[in-house]
Amino acid sequence: MISALNIEKKFDKLEVLKGVTLEVHKGEVVAIIGPSGSGKSTFLRCLNRLENIDGGSIVIEGDELVTTTSDGKVMYAEETQARMICRKMGMVFQQFNLFPHLTVLDNVIEAPITVKGVKKEEIVPEAEELLYKVGLQDKLNSYPSRLSGGQKQRVAIARALAMKPDIMLFDEPTSALDPELTGEVLKAMRQLAEEHMTMIVVTHEMGFAREVANRVIFMDNGEIIEQGDPEEVFGNPQHMRTQAFLNHMSSK
């Protein structure tokens, strides 16, 4: 589903990604963990071109989004093609980014109507079903200001799913939430995993990574340091940096 090869990314002179390579297969849930500033979120944003890369290649479901020529030139797909490739991925951010002037239902149907040209009468029943799925069927006509953080994030998940992506990217979706609201968002994500949605989740929720992911990636300082089965990575980490990070997280 995703093949990212030797991804390099700099912000000015700061090397944020140093040749990151990752393949993700259909139905796989990959959790990316690591300290703040390790490049996790930047890597996710490179996959759907919220950030342009400085080297490497990205192929999504067989379609080449970007490649680097032998002389080091980064070549993105033509704009229309690039947009179509990126549309295969839905993304949920730390901040919910809901439109404050639209109701919950209107937030969910906005993109399918404006981006895909879907008729309103077609998308409304689908949107209602998605909101039911994330436990918000009673909030259809509420505005974001009347919702808790956990409810807003579940609307954001429904909104991303309304575009019918093949892959879902989650960038620390619970980091802005109070602990008691985190559970309801993770529950919605668990349900997606059970339905075999292909997912990459950047997260500080170690319990979620251990229980739900098929594979855990530990990143530090712009590199993948270790990866494997959750029980291996959490139960018997091989690298000193992984051990130090997990010890730090368990002592919190």
Side-chain angles (χ1 to χ4, degrees):
M1 297 291 272
I2 295 176
S3 179
L5 186 64
N6 292 325
I7 303 302
E8 296 171 3
K9 175 66 183 175
K10 290 181 185 164
F11 291 117
D12 295 323
K13 291 196 173 124
L14 179 66
E15 237 184 324
V16 184
L17 298 175
K18 304 171 183 174
V20 174
T21 292
L22 178 65
E23 287 197 337
V24 179
H25 301 283
K26 189 173 174 63
E28 196 175 15
V29 178
V30 175
I32 304 180
I33 62 171
S36 296
S38 59
K40 308 182 301 293
S41 295
T42 300
F43 175 67
L44 215 58
R45 292 170 69 85
C46 287
L47 291 178
N48 64 0
R49 212 189 165 181
L50 290 174
E51 299 285 355
N52 284 345
I53 65 172
D54 296 312
S57 68
I58 298 171
V59 178
I60 307 295
E61 292 189 281
D63 292 326
E64 195 168 71
L65 175 65
V66 58
T67 189
T68 302
T69 61
S70 54
D71 59 355
K73 191 176 180 197
V74 176
M75 304 276 291
Y76 273 89
E78 182 268 322
E79 193 59 38
T80 308
Q81 173 75 352
R83 275 205 299 269
M84 284 186 66
I85 294 169
C86 291
R87 215 180 279 169
K88 296 177 179 189
M89 295 173 280
M91 186 149 178
V92 177
F93 300 86
Q94 294 178 35
Q95 299 300 336
F96 329 114
N97 300 330
L98 300 179
F99 294 115
H101 63 290
L102 296 181
T103 64
V104 164
L105 180 63
D106 286 337
N107 262 284
V108 175
I109 67 175
E110 175 74 9
I113 291 172
T114 57
V115 178
K116 280 185 154 182
V118 180
K119 289 188 167 62
K120 187 172 182 179
E121 57 269 25
E122 282 177 37
I123 192 61
V124 166
E126 292 177 15
E128 288 173 345
E129 199 173 309
L130 286 170
L131 289 165
Y132 178 81
K133 187 176 185 171
V134 297
L136 291 173
Q137 63 273 23
D138 58 337
K139 300 291 184 186
L140 292 178
N141 299 311
S142 299
Y143 286 88
S145 60
R146 307 304 298 268
L147 303 181
S148 70
Q151 289 170 333
K152 288 176 187 172
Q153 194 58 294
R154 283 183 286 153
V155 175
I157 292 172
R159 179 180 60 182
L161 290 172
M163 290 292 282
K164 298 188 177 169
D166 296 332
I167 300 158
M168 285 286 283
L169 309 175
F170 292 88
D171 185 11
E172 300 194 22
T174 59
S175 66
L177 301 178
D178 295 333
E180 65 269 22
L181 300 176
T182 295
E184 60 193 42
V185 174
L186 294 179
K187 182 182 173 189
M189 292 168 64
R190 273 195 181 90
Q191 190 179 341
L192 284 179
E194 285 164 11
E195 293 167 4
H196 306 294
M197 170 63 82
T198 306
M199 297 160 64
I200 303 182
V201 184
V202 169
T203 185
H204 285 299
E205 299 292 334
M206 296 300 117
F208 177 86
R210 189 167 193 161
E211 293 162 31
V212 181
N214 307 108
R215 185 159 39 119
V216 174
I217 311 275
F218 172 68
M219 278 184 74
D220 191 16
N221 197 26
E223 300 174 291
I224 291 178
I225 304 299
E226 187 166 345
Q227 63 175 302
D229 176 273
E231 288 310 312
E232 287 170 15
V233 174
F234 285 102
N236 187 25
Q238 299 300 301
H239 200 285
M240 281 175 60
R241 279 196 271 177
T242 319
Q243 293 165 12
F245 172 76
L246 292 173
N247 286 339
H248 172 69
M249 293 302 286
S250 63
S251 67
K252 277 188 169 183

